[in-house]
Amino acid sequence: MGSYKKDKHRPSPLPESSNSNKDEMGSYNYKMFNLFNRKFKITEAEPPKDVKQLFSKFSNGGSHMAADQLRRFLVLHQDELDCTLADAQKIVEEVINRRHHLTRYSRHSLNLDDFFHFLLYDDLNGPITSQVHNDMTAPLAQYFIYTGHNSYLTGNQLSSDCSEVPIVKALQRGVRVIELDLWPGSAKDEILVLHGRYILIAIVPFLRMTLTTPVPLIKCLKSIRDYAFASSPYPVIITLEDHLTPELQAKVAEMVTQTFGGMLYYPESDSLLQFPSPESLKHRIIISTKPPKEYLESSGIKRKGPLSPGGRNSSEEEDEASGIPCHTAELEADDRSDSDQDDVDLTDCDNKSGQLGAPAYKRLITIHAGKPKGCLKDALKVAADKVRRLSLSEQELEKAAATNGTDVVRFTQNNILRIYPKGTRITSSNYKPLVGWMHGAQMIAFNMQGYGKSLWLMHGMFRANGGCGYLKKPDFLLEKGPNNEVFDPKTKLPVTKTLNVKVYLGDGWRLDFSHTHFDSYSPPDFYTKVYIVGVPADAAKRKTKIIEDNWSPAWNEEFTFPLTVPELALLRVEVQEYDISDKDDFGGQTCLPVLDLRPGIRSVPLHDKKGEKLKNVRLLMGFQFV
C-alpha cells in the first residue's frame, strides 16, 4: 500500500522528458530509508472493456477502424450528429500523424490503441462543446456574466500590488467584467487605480488606508484595449468605483474616449428602457458606474453616510467596510439612484448636467449603478422607464434571498444585480455563487486572483457556451405567469434529468510530476471524488475506490445523479492521492457545466489548484443523460 512517510519538501512538476529515476527496463526506483531500493514497473494505461467493445462493434469485428466507421461511432455513440465523413477523416489523419509520424503515409485507419488514444486527446474529444450555442440577441440582463472583483489586485486585499497583469490574465480567461477603483494621485490630473482607502476601518479602526501599491489608470485602460477580445468577441464591461473630483472625472472621460476610440459604446439617451444584447455589442467596451455625485447634491439630496476626502463619492463596498450595517428591511445608501423616488430626483438633476460636474463622464455611462437605500423591497422595484444595476454584498444577498426571493428574481429579469464579496475577505477568498445564480443575479463578482473551490465553480460555470463569458439564463428565471408571478427559488422541483457518470481511468501524472512528488517510497494511490454542485436538492458526492501503487489507475466505476435543476448544475471532479498517516494529496481538479457535457466517452483534462490546466493529466470518463 501507499505511503510510509511523505516528503514534505516536494519538487515542482517536471517537464515531460524528465524522470531521472526511470530505468531502461521501464521501472521506477524508490529508495527506502537510504538502505535499499524498491522497484515498481511502469504500467501504461490500457483500453477499458467498454472501449474494446465499442471498437469491435463499429469496426465490424475487424482490427482497424476506417474513417466512415469512426463517423458512425461519433454520430451514434458520441451524439455528434453533425459530424461529416470529412471531419472523421481529419481525425484519423491527425491521430495517425501524432502516433505514427514516420509511417503516416502508409496508414489510413485506426487500430485499437489508436482509437483509445484518440479518446484520450482532450483537444479532439473534450468533455464539453467548444462553440457558442446560446441565443446572444437578448438584452444583457438575460445573461450570467463572467465578473471580476478588484480586477487589478495581484493578491490579498490589503497589501498586494496593483497591476494591469491580473486584468490581462482575467481577460484571457474570458472574464467580461473588469472592476477598477479610481483615486486621485499626488500630481495634478493623475488618476490611480488602487484598493479602497477605508477598507480597514471595520477591522483596524486606527488604520485608514490599505498598503496596496497603485497602478496608473491609463496603463489599465490600455491593457483592457489590447486584450479585451483575446478570448471572446462579446462586450467587456468596466465597472468604475469612483472617488474623483468633477475635474478628474472629466479627465477620465477624456482618457477612456481616447484610449478606446470606436470600441467604446455609450447610449444616445440618458436612460435605457432595456439593455442592448451581447450580439449587438460584439467587440465593444461599455462603462458601468454611479452617476457623478455632484448631480445628486445639486438637487438637494443629502447623503447619510460619510463622504470620501474632498467630498468625492465613496464606493459601493466601502460603506459596508466602514461599519454601515446591512439590514434586511433597511439598507443604507451609497447613493440615491436606486430607489424609484430618487430615480425621479436623479432625472431632474440630470437635466442640469450641462452646467455641473463632468457631463462628458456621465455621458459615457451605459449601465447606471448604485446600492439600495432604505427598504430592500423598494430598492428591488422595477421601474417602467429605465433599467439599472444594483449592488449587494454576499450577506445582503443571503438576507434578500431569505425574505424577498421572488422580488430579487423579478428585478433581475430586466435589471442587473451585482454581488460582491464581504469586506472581511482580505485574503481574496470567494463565496458560494449558487445563491446568486438561483436568483438570477448576473454579476457574481469574484476575486479571480484568489484560489479555492468556489473559484473552481466559477471557472466551471463559464466554461459553458464556448467559454465566451456570457451564459443565457434558464427560461424559468425569465418567465412570468398569468398573474405576473415569477419563479420562487424555494420551490421544490421534480427530477427532470438523470446524469450517469462513469470514471474509467486516469493518466499523465508521471509525465507532469517527479516520481516522488506524491510519495517518497512508492507510486501514488489515486482515487477520484465526483460532486454535483447546484441547487440544494441536487447536491451529491461520490468517491471511487483507491488504486494502489499505480501511475495510471483504472477505476471503472459508475455513478448516477438525479437532477431537478440541471441548468444550474456543475460536475466537480477532484483526484486525490491517499495517505494513511497524513492529509491526502491533491492530484488535479476540474469543474464542468452539466448541460454542456457531451455524451459518450470523453477525455477530461485536469487543472491545478489555481485553475491552470495540467499539461498531460486527464481522466477518461463517460457521460449519459437519461
Side-chain angles (χ1 to χ4, degrees), residues 118-192:
F118 155 66
L119 294 177
L120 282 171
Y121 291 141
D122 62 86
D123 60 328
L124 300 179
N125 186 46
I128 58 176
T129 179
S130 60
Q131 305 298 318
V132 174
H133 56 84
N134 290 171
D135 173 17
M136 304 301 287
T137 62
L140 287 174
Q142 295 191 20
Y143 298 84
F144 297 127
I145 309 174
Y146 205 176
T147 302
H149 174 258
N150 291 345
S151 305
Y152 48 86
L153 285 179
T154 58
N156 70 66
Q157 304 286 308
L158 299 183
S159 60
S160 65
D161 290 338
C162 301
S163 169
E164 77 282 3
V165 173
I167 295 173
V168 171
K169 289 182 178 179
L171 292 169
Q172 290 175 330
R173 189 182 282 277
V175 172
R176 298 291 84 191
V177 182
I178 299 296
E179 181 186 26
L180 303 177
D181 284 84
L182 308 185
W183 292 85
S186 56
K188 182 181 179 182
D189 289 345
E190 183 182 32
I191 302 169
L192 302 176

Side-chain angles (χ1 to χ4, degrees), residues 99-343:
R99 289 184 44 77
H100 308 285
H101 182 70
L102 296 178
T103 59
R104 63 186 184 278
Y105 297 114
S106 61
R107 294 176 180 265
H108 306 286
S109 58
L110 305 179
N111 60 29
L112 174 60
D113 280 340
D114 295 333
F115 178 67
F116 174 49
H117 279 80
F118 155 66
L119 294 177
L120 282 171
Y121 291 141
D122 62 86
D123 60 328
L124 300 179
N125 186 46
I128 58 176
T129 179
S130 60
Q131 305 298 318
V132 174
H133 56 84
N134 290 171
D135 173 17
M136 304 301 287
T137 62
L140 287 174
Q142 295 191 20
Y143 298 84
F144 297 127
I145 309 174
Y146 205 176
T147 302
H149 174 258
N150 291 345
S151 305
Y152 48 86
L153 285 179
T154 58
N156 70 66
Q157 304 286 308
L158 299 183
S159 60
S160 65
D161 290 338
C162 301
S163 169
E164 77 282 3
V165 173
I167 295 173
V168 171
K169 289 182 178 179
L171 292 169
Q172 290 175 330
R173 189 182 282 277
V175 172
R176 298 291 84 191
V177 182
I178 299 296
E179 181 186 26
L180 303 177
D181 284 84
L182 308 185
W183 292 85
S186 56
K188 182 181 179 182
D189 289 345
E190 183 182 32
I191 302 169
L192 302 176
V193 174
L194 73 155
H195 195 207
R197 300 184 179 187
Y198 290 89
I199 193 68
L200 287 180
I201 292 178
I203 306 168
V204 186
F206 56 84
L207 186 56
R208 300 179 65 83
M209 181 179 289
T210 64
L211 303 176
T212 58
T213 56
V215 59
L217 171 62
I218 189 62
K219 206 169 187 179
C220 296
L221 295 179
K222 288 180 177 179
S223 294
I224 293 172
R225 177 196 64 193
D226 295 342
Y227 291 91
F229 308 109
S231 64
S232 170
Y234 292 101
V236 167
I237 302 169
I238 303 176
T239 61
L240 300 178
E241 294 287 343
D242 166 16
H243 308 263
L244 304 175
T245 63
E247 293 76 16
L248 288 179
Q249 289 173 345
K251 181 66 176 178
V252 170
E254 179 185 341
M255 294 169 64
V256 166
T257 303
Q258 291 181 355
T259 303
F260 297 133
M263 299 169 69
L264 184 66
Y265 169 86
Y266 49 89
E268 296 180 0
S269 62
D270 284 344
S271 60
L272 297 172
L273 295 178
Q274 70 174 19
F275 293 115
S277 71
E279 187 67 29
S280 70
L281 293 172
K282 269 187 172 180
H283 298 104
R284 304 299 291 272
I285 293 172
I286 63 179
I287 303 298
S288 177
T289 188
K290 297 177 297 180
K293 185 68 183 176
E294 286 68 29
Y295 304 147
L296 302 179
E297 294 176 339
S298 72
S299 64
I301 297 173
K302 301 298 182 183
R303 186 182 185 279
K304 285 187 177 182
L307 289 175
S308 296
R312 295 180 287 268
N313 288 352
S314 77
S315 76
E316 297 171 359
E317 299 173 30
E318 282 177 3
D319 280 350
E320 179 196 7
S322 301
I324 293 178
C326 301
H327 300 298
T328 303
E330 293 288 328
L331 290 169
E332 284 291 342
D334 198 285
D335 62 53
R336 299 263 184 138
S337 66
D338 284 288
S339 69
D340 293 338
Q341 181 59 46
D342 291 331
D343 282 341

Side-chain angles (χ1 to χ4, degrees), residues 471-537:
L471 310 180
K472 189 74 160 57
K473 294 199 290 188
D475 289 341
F476 64 80
L477 287 173
L478 303 172
E479 295 168 345
K480 291 181 180 177
N483 299 314
N484 204 37
E485 66 270 21
V486 297
F487 171 71
D488 185 351
K490 296 179 181 178
T491 302
K492 292 184 178 180
L493 301 171
V495 172
T496 59
K497 280 186 184 292
T498 298
L499 173 65
N500 288 339
V501 176
K502 191 162 187 176
V503 185
Y504 287 104
L505 55 84
D507 195 29
W509 287 280
R510 65 185 178 85
L511 300 178
D512 287 349
F513 299 91
S514 77
H515 81 295
T516 56
H517 178 85
F518 296 101
D519 195 320
S520 297
Y521 303 114
S522 67
D525 310 323
F526 288 126
Y527 65 93
T528 298
K529 296 188 287 187
V530 182
Y531 303 81
I532 291 291
V533 182
V535 300

Side-chain angles (χ1 to χ4, degrees), residues 18 20 63 72 97 124 142 148 158 160 185 220 229 256 307 329 339 366 382 432 449 453 469 472 592 614 619-620 623:
S18 163
S20 57
S63 60
R72 287 185 64 246
N97 187 53
L124 300 179
Q142 295 191 20
L158 299 183
S160 65
C220 296
F229 308 109
V256 166
L307 289 175
S339 69
T366 297
V382 177
K432 295 180 180 179
Q449 79 279 17
K453 294 175 183 177
K472 189 74 160 57
L592 302 170
L614 295 168
L619 301 178
L620 190 67
F623 307 114

Side-chain angles (χ1 to χ4, degrees), residues 389-431:
R389 192 197 90 201
L390 181 68
S391 287
L392 298 176
S393 70
E394 59 178 286
Q395 302 114 307
E396 290 170 344
L397 172 67
E398 290 176 359
K399 293 175 181 178
T403 60
N404 300 85
T406 55
D407 293 327
V408 176
V409 172
R410 182 175 285 105
F411 179 84
T412 59
Q413 290 184 337
N414 295 297
N415 300 279
I416 290 176
L417 180 60
R418 172 181 173 267
I419 310 301
Y420 58 89
K422 59 186 178 182
T424 53
R425 293 190 179 276
I426 58 176
T427 61
S428 293
S429 63
N430 288 296
Y431 51 100

